[in-house]
Amino acid sequence: MPMLDGISLRDAFHKGPALKTIFSIIPSIEIIEMIAIAGFDAVILDMEHGPYSIDSLGPLILAARARGIFPIARVQELSPALIGAALDAGAAGILVPQVTSAAAAAEVVKAARFAPQGARGVNPWVRAADFDAERGWFAQANRSICVMAMIEGREGLEALSDILSVEGLDGIFLGPVDMAQSLGVAGQPEHPIVIEALRQTIVRATENGMGAAVFAPTVAAARRWLQLGVRLAAISEDTAVILSAFRRLISELQVPISEA
Ligand code: 3PY
Ligand code: MG
């Protein structure tokens, strides 16, 4: 289950072309399918901000896999129980918000990997193990799962050097929306001081051999970060995309018929 077309998210993240993904906060199988059909490589199932819990994750993970994209779960917080449950349900990667120290990043790794690299809770009869794990599954899961810690505030930036040396962490994922609040420019994820903080962090991560990932509120932002070498860019949110399509439709319809 951790693989998709023979490649794991972890390998795709480190070795493949940069991944293009989107946050999904509408818990809908059809939305996940359309994200795949549109051509994204992965979807981030957002349990932090989306109105759903672990029991709706399974069908969404299956929808993503059936349509050939990687399901990544963003859990609500650094909780080993939540991380383990999302991985057991079949998530290919895990994203943990608001990581502010190397110790916290190490906790994320510990919760997401089995021994000897970590201490993920063990149950081999779950979807991730095809309900019947062979002995090799634990090592395969450790090799395949992509583990990312979000840096989205001043404290995380200050702890960057230490976070970059955490063993077993695949990537840091930058959150400009929370970062803007933390840097005193709430609501302005494209403010120059946010962009500069992100730019420096991406460069330092890349120089240290750590994959960088980022949320981009716009296509222009996504292009900027892809050019700088991020391994994964999450462009927008399903809600934002759908609302803007609805608005465009109704505003086009409101043009008087004689002028259209
Ligand atoms: C942020 O930018 O703060 C995020 O968490 C992206 O969803
Ligand atoms: Mg955030």
Side-chain angles (χ1 to χ4, degrees), residues 212-234:
V214 69
F215 172 70
T218 64
V219 171
R223 282 185 192 281
R224 179 206 304 131
W225 300 132
L226 287 165
Q227 266 162 16
L228 196 63
V230 295
R231 303 296 311 132
L232 176 149

Side-chain angles (χ1 to χ4, degrees), residues 4-259:
L4 200 66
D5 290 338
I7 183 162
S8 68
L9 176 62
R10 192 179 194 202
D11 278 346
F13 180 73
H14 288 295
K15 301 177 192 159
L19 296 162
K20 298 179 188 76
T21 182
I22 180 167
F23 276 88
S24 175
I25 67 174
I26 307 174
S28 152
I29 287 171
E30 288 79 6
I31 299 251
I32 306 300
E33 291 186 85
M34 287 188 282
I35 287 169
I37 289 166
F40 286 89
D41 304 303
V43 59
I44 303 176
L45 306 167
D46 192 357
M47 304 179 77
E48 185 190 10
H49 292 296
Y52 59 86
S53 57
I54 196 72
D55 50 359
S56 38
L57 210 59
L60 301 177
I61 284 172
L62 286 178
R65 289 186 176 280
R67 290 292 191 173
I69 60 172
F70 291 108
I72 301 170
R74 170 159 74 176
V75 293
Q76 281 167 327
E77 58 182 353
L78 204 182
S79 147
L82 272 178
I83 292 170
L87 291 175
D88 284 352
I94 205 85
L95 190 56
V96 176
Q98 300 286 0
V99 172
T100 54
S101 67
E107 282 296 310
V108 172
V109 174
K110 188 174 166 193
R113 301 211 195 279
F114 294 117
Q117 286 94 347
R120 174 175 161 191
V122 182
N123 183 322
W125 300 282
V126 293
R127 175 180 300 107
D130 290 338
F131 304 108
D132 186 16
E134 294 167 12
R135 288 217 327 253
W137 175 65
F138 301 98
Q140 195 214 21
N142 279 356
R143 278 196 305 273
S144 309
I145 298 297
C146 188
V147 183
M148 290 178 276
M150 293 195 71
I151 295 183
E152 38 187 357
R154 206 180 280 280
E155 251 186 293
L157 291 179
E158 283 163 8
L160 183 66
S161 306
D162 294 336
I163 293 174
L164 291 181
S165 57
V166 169
E167 187 91 20
L169 186 67
D170 290 304
I172 53 158
F173 188 118
L174 303 169
V177 180
D178 274 297
M179 186 69 76
Q181 169 173 268
S182 178
L183 297 183
V185 290
Q188 300 176 69
E190 282 284 278
H191 190 285
I193 69 165
V194 180
I195 291 181
E196 197 41 39
L198 263 57
R199 187 185 305 281
Q200 286 178 20
T201 309
I202 291 165
V203 168
R204 278 176 65 193
T206 308
E207 281 170 0
N208 279 269
M210 173 75 74
V214 69
F215 172 70
T218 64
V219 171
R223 282 185 192 281
R224 179 206 304 131
W225 300 132
L226 287 165
Q227 266 162 16
L228 196 63
V230 295
R231 303 296 311 132
L232 176 149
I235 303 145
S236 197
E237 311 254 346
D238 54 5
T239 43
V241 171
I242 292 167
L243 179 60
S244 82
F246 286 152
R247 284 195 167 128
R248 196 170 51 246
L249 207 60
I250 199 71
S251 74
E252 282 169 11
L253 206 60
Q254 274 157 354
V255 174
I257 287 168
S258 55
E259 290 175 25

